[in-house]
Amino acid sequence: MIATLLLVAVSMALSLAHALELPGKLRLKEATYRSVQAIYYPGFTIGGFAEIGGIIALAVLLYLTPYPSARFLWTLAALVFLLAEHATYWLVTHPVNNFWVQDTAMPKSAATFFSMFSRKQTGDWRDLRNVWEASHVARAGLAMLSLVSIAVAATFFAE
């Protein structure tokens, strides 16, 4: 339970960090915004493994939790929220990431990661910025719900 809480908390912290930058980043001009986007890699990419770890830990914890119980339902909710957060990354954030890193020199492993499920992104940079930023606000909300859910489940752990 403690390891699961920590993994979900790291996932929430990373997405919340992006969301908290929103007001300041909306004031940036295009060149500065593009420069700032490059600072996230590889740190946030490596931190993203906590999300996968959190999903696996929640699934294992759910499997080990007696059904039906309040702890089971709260753990299930935590898993659903974290899966939704992760899906938001791949369906909304990742395609736009490809736009921001297209001219960035990076190791082959990073280039492979960013090319996965890539779609050519075109359009005004502000529209892509708004999608990217909004996706992180949504991810932060989903991660927060996951963390709260697993924390509530943990209160039933002593039963």
Side-chain angles (χ1 to χ4, degrees):
M1 177 60 81
I2 292 170
T4 303
L5 274 163
L6 286 172
L7 288 166
V8 174
V10 168
S11 298
M12 189 277 302
L14 294 174
S15 58
L16 184 60
H18 279 306
L20 292 173
E21 294 172 330
L22 176 66
K25 285 181 72 182
L26 290 179
R27 294 190 306 261
L28 300 177
K29 298 197 180 327
E30 181 179 7
T32 306
Y33 187 87
R34 285 179 178 269
S35 293
V36 168
Q37 286 302 99
I39 68 169
Y40 298 119
Y41 314 107
F44 277 76
T45 307
I46 294 167
F49 285 106
E51 216 169 284
I52 301 296
I55 290 168
I56 292 168
L58 283 167
V60 168
L61 197 58
L62 188 64
Y63 176 77
L64 297 173
T65 302
Y67 176 85
S69 67
R71 187 170 32 132
F72 180 90
L73 295 174
W74 283 105
T75 304
L76 176 61
L79 178 59
V80 168
F81 288 130
L82 202 59
L83 284 169
E85 181 207 15
H86 195 67
T88 301
Y89 173 80
W90 286 105
L91 297 172
V92 184
T93 312
H94 187 75
V96 180
N97 274 344
N98 289 316
F99 177 79
W100 300 124
V101 301
Q102 64 190 353
D103 297 324
T104 303
M106 61 182 75
K108 185 175 180 171
S109 59
T112 300
F113 174 78
F114 284 110
S115 69
M116 291 178 4
F117 310 111
S118 65
R119 297 186 302 234
K120 181 70 176 161
Q121 295 291 326
T122 58
D124 185 72
W125 76 274
R126 287 173 292 248
D127 294 336
L128 294 169
R129 174 202 63 194
N130 293 343
V131 168
W132 194 90
E133 298 294 341
S135 75
H136 281 293
V137 171
R139 284 174 42 80
L142 290 164
M144 185 79 67
L145 289 169
S146 180
L147 181 60
V148 168
S149 297
I150 196 58
V152 171
T155 66
F156 295 104
F157 203 76
E159 291 179 357

